[in-house]
Amino acid sequence: MRAPSDRARRLWRDTITIDMHNDLPTRALDDGYDADVRHAAGVAERTEGHTDLPRLVESGLTAVFLAAWVDASYARGAPGGSFARALRGVEWIRDFAARHPAHLLLATSAHDVRRAKREGRVAILVGVEGGHAIEDSLDHLRELHRLGARYLTLTWNNGNGWAGSSIGVDGTRTGGLTAFGREVVGELNRLGMLVDVSHVSDTTFDDVLAASAAPVVATHSCARALADHPRNLRDDQLRAVARTGGVVNVNFYARFLDVRHAAAWDAVDRDIGAARLAISGAADPDAARAEFEAARRRLLATIPHTPLDVLVDHIEHVARVAGIDHVGIGSDFDGINGLPRGLDDVAALPRLAEALLARGLADADVAAILGGNMLRVMERVLDGAAASR
Ligand SMILES: [Zn+2]
């Protein structure tokens, strides 16, 4: 892939760019991934990743929300575990920013994001993913806000006691918001935290839109009209987010962008499973493992790469349906195992500016997509709440 044009580089450099969802904290906490040193682009090993300090700095990205994600397994564990895990994620994010004051700035407002841009630092913001993190306690939510969290993704793939998920893993809730769920939305509004509808069920989506007094965002969701997946948003949902003044930030995950890619992954997954079964009980386990690894690599190589244009198709679709003022980006870097070709890591982000310009979009529209729209929402929700308290 060729390097971005001078025009795209200039635009990227001069624009406040905001990525609404990145899973670096989970790689660091669960995979022993060292976020302070450079890695190769990829996700297969701990030597590979989409994000680290050197590439974050190199990217020129203005701001990124790092996710304190809480896995569904914590909700099945002992009481206190989900909230403790969320705190650990938040703490990791704060430490990451604090370790690198020359390059990073822990940010909680649009004002901070502007300051980071002026100072040539990357603004690090905190999002909490998975409503089970608060364990049905508004005090826990307030504590997360106090520590810097500025959005709550109401569910992950598991629903919780008060909100339903689009996937509903482990037989968890897929329905709407309960009365307490509406209280959570009200408290998010009051605190000046963004309400994130990525991952929620369609019923919960409707309930949130009715309950929220502030603009609503989807931090990492694609368009269902282009790729039929329950994690993606329908056209009427894109329009509904726009009516609140909010933004739908498009996810880079090839599985959500491209049904062909998703089908190929599922087929390869089945074949890898069969290959793994075939080597169980082999006379020479080392040889069998090597053979399996070779087969696995061969199978993974057959999965077609999703072109970068497919991601741009989703962004353009959201812009067309919801309006150019209501679309943004939420990469899901380091939380996914398939990216559009050429967008292999955070350092490759300027190529997205190039790809958007190549569609004939005006510079101002590209700037709005890459961060201006979210900055507007953050000014209203994060900074506005601070001013009125
Ligand atoms: Zn997610």
Side-chain angles (χ1 to χ4, degrees):
M1 174 148 311
R2 70 197 164 81
S5 65
D6 286 347
R7 181 181 169 210
R9 278 182 189 288
R10 231 178 2 254
L11 184 134
W12 182 262
R13 188 196 62 205
D14 295 343
T15 300
I16 287 187
T17 52
I18 304 174
D19 181 352
M20 287 302 294
H21 196 86
N22 179 303
D23 278 311
L24 177 64
T26 299
R27 294 295 315 279
L29 289 173
D30 292 352
D31 301 343
Y33 180 85
D34 184 351
D36 293 350
V37 302
R38 183 180 292 270
H39 301 70
V43 285
E45 313 290 341
R46 74 171 65 169
T47 54
E48 294 181 346
H50 301 143
T51 319
D52 48 47
L53 178 75
R55 285 179 295 162
L56 199 51
V57 170
E58 183 185 312
S59 74
L61 184 66
T62 310
V64 58
F65 274 88
L66 298 182
W69 169 64
V70 180
D71 192 2
S73 60
Y74 290 92
R76 295 192 301 269
S82 295
F83 182 58
R85 170 64 188 209
L87 289 177
R88 219 169 138 227
V90 174
E91 182 184 61
W92 185 90
I93 297 164
R94 294 172 61 102
D95 285 350
F96 179 54
R99 269 202 307 283
H100 308 288
H103 297 296
L104 307 179
L105 173 69
L106 185 73
T108 57
S109 65
H111 175 81
D112 290 343
V113 170
R114 290 188 188 283
R115 176 175 159 210
K117 182 71 178 173
R118 276 197 310 275
E119 297 178 353
R121 295 195 276 171
V122 181
I124 300 293
L125 295 108
V126 179
V128 172
E129 182 174 28
H132 55 293
I134 67 167
E135 301 197 20
D136 301 339
S137 159
L138 295 181
D139 279 340
H140 285 352
L141 176 61
R142 290 189 274 265
E143 176 70 1
L144 292 168
H145 174 265
R146 193 184 64 76
L147 292 169
R150 287 298 179 268
Y151 72 66
L152 179 69
T153 312
L154 300 187
T155 74
W156 185 60
N157 290 338
N158 56 314
N160 52 58
W162 48 271
S165 156
S166 60
I167 307 291
V169 290
D170 311 327
T172 52
R173 181 185 188 83
T174 55
L177 282 183
T178 64
F180 177 72
R182 287 192 293 277
E183 271 186 64
V184 172
V185 170
E187 187 63 11
L188 288 165
N189 291 163
R190 195 190 67 81
L191 288 167
M193 267 176 88
L194 296 163
V195 182
D196 179 14
V197 292
S198 286
H199 284 286
V200 305
S201 68
D202 291 343
T203 318
T204 287
F205 179 97
D206 291 341
D207 292 347
V208 170
L209 275 271
S212 179
V216 168
V217 298
T219 62
H220 56 307
S221 292
C222 304
R224 210 182 294 179
L226 301 190
D228 189 11
H229 190 289
R231 269 286 279 111
N232 296 345
L233 294 173
R234 296 187 315 248
D235 284 357
D236 62 298
Q237 294 174 315
L238 302 177
R239 282 189 286 266
V241 168
R243 278 196 299 275
T244 70
V247 171
V248 173
N249 297 276
V250 177
N251 194 312
F252 297 0
Y253 190 16
R255 174 178 279 273
F256 296 159
L257 292 168
D258 179 358
V259 288
R260 273 178 49 249
H261 179 92
W265 250 112
D266 290 343
V268 161
D269 254 354
R270 280 192 297 273
D271 292 347
I272 289 175
R276 187 179 282 116
L277 262 183
I279 64 158
S280 67
D284 181 348
D286 286 344
R289 213 170 10 251
E291 193 183 314
F292 167 73
E293 270 308 314
R296 194 178 70 96
R297 274 195 299 275
R298 218 165 33 242
L299 285 164
L300 288 174
T302 65
I303 296 173
H305 264 282
T306 298
L308 183 50
D309 267 342
V310 175
L311 170 60
V312 180
D313 289 343
H314 279 257
I315 292 172
E316 277 205 311
H317 182 86
V318 177
R320 207 161 35 239
V321 172
I324 189 74
D325 297 334
H326 303 284
V327 56
I329 56 169
S331 68
D332 220 347
F333 279 140
D334 282 300
I336 53 176
N337 57 10
L339 282 159
R341 185 190 289 280
L343 209 54
D344 301 322
D345 65 4
V346 66
L349 275 172
R351 286 180 182 157
L352 185 54
E354 173 78 31
L356 289 164
L357 288 172
R359 292 289 173 99
L361 288 167
D363 286 27
D365 288 343
V366 174
I369 293 167
L370 295 175
N373 290 334
M374 268 318 307
L375 191 68
R376 178 194 75 233
V377 173
M378 288 165 64
E379 262 162 3
R380 184 157 155 207
V381 177
L382 310 189
D383 303 30
S388 66
R389 259 203 310 277

